Amino acid sequence: MAIIAQSCNSGPCSFLDPHSKSKCLLTGFRIDPHTEYCSKHQSSVERCEICGKMLVRQGVIIEGPHLICDNCNENIGHCATCTYRNHCLFNEDPTPGPQKLIQQQIRQGNTILSQTVRNPAIVEKTCKKCKCYDSQNNQCFRDFTACGQYQIKEF
């Protein structure tokens, strides 16, 4: 037996799935927004200023004042929250996939190791122009998820 509560005068709930119009994004339950109302009703919901995720609980306030989610807060200083995270010249290069990676063989004594590495010709053409590339060590900082070029995504 369903308990039907009186509809709220504060407008539609922000947790209502905008696509189905009959599912609560918070609980996952199907609802009838015209006849049902719950204690979790919110007329507006704050969103993380970095990733856009709904802040169901209180967000973390940083750098005067900006709301971000726990996940983005944990990733401050890493690629996940960096301005440059959406663009990778190596990945955006139109060269077909199999040519982007090559097999490299390394000899250690009697052992020959084979590993897949980025094609140096494509690295020369793309990565060396990127802020995420460490030219001293010839490696991409994204492989380590942090670098000295980090810049927090603009609010």
Side-chain angles (χ1 to χ4, degrees):
M1 178 174 156
I3 298 174
I4 298 174
Q6 200 169 11
S7 191
C8 179
N9 291 334
S10 63
C13 182
S14 292
F15 292 130
L16 187 63
D17 182 358
H19 302 293
S20 71
K21 305 278 190 220
S22 64
K23 179 181 176 185
C24 175
L25 294 174
L26 185 61
T27 64
F29 296 145
R30 296 191 68 66
I31 60 153
D32 180 352
H34 303 292
T35 59
E36 296 177 284
Y37 177 81
C38 79
S39 62
K40 306 271 191 253
H41 178 90
Q42 294 287 322
S43 55
S44 67
V45 176
E46 298 290 338
R47 294 192 173 269
C48 174
E49 294 182 42
I50 293 176
C51 70
K53 177 181 161 187
M54 282 192 302
L55 297 173
V56 177
R57 300 178 294 145
Q58 183 66 31
V60 178
I61 300 174
I62 63 162
E63 297 186 23
H66 294 286
L67 284 173
I68 63 171
C69 67
D70 291 339
N71 187 50
C72 287
N73 186 50
E74 289 174 15
N75 284 302
I76 294 292
H78 299 281
C79 296
T81 58
C82 182
T83 298
Y84 308 116
R85 79 172 190 247
N86 292 334
H87 299 288
C88 175
L89 297 174
F90 182 84
N91 289 336
E92 293 168 3
D93 185 73
T95 304
Q99 296 175 353
K100 286 186 174 187
L101 303 174
I102 60 169
Q103 289 295 316
Q104 180 182 53
Q105 293 184 341
I106 301 170
R107 183 179 205 90
Q108 290 183 341
N110 293 336
T111 307
I112 297 176
L113 302 172
S114 181
Q115 64 182 9
T116 303
V117 295
R118 290 179 181 99
N119 185 333
I122 298 174
V123 167
E124 186 73 34
K125 181 170 83 171
T126 60
C127 298
K128 290 191 175 183
K129 298 175 185 173
C130 180
K131 292 186 177 280
C132 302
Y133 188 74
D134 178 8
S135 55
Q136 288 181 331
N137 298 311
N138 292 322
Q139 60 192 7
C140 180
F141 282 125
R142 291 175 191 224
D143 293 340
F144 306 101
T145 70
C147 75
Q149 301 297 324
Y150 175 81
Q151 185 174 8
I152 193 165
K153 184 179 174 210
E154 303 263 333
F155 289 107

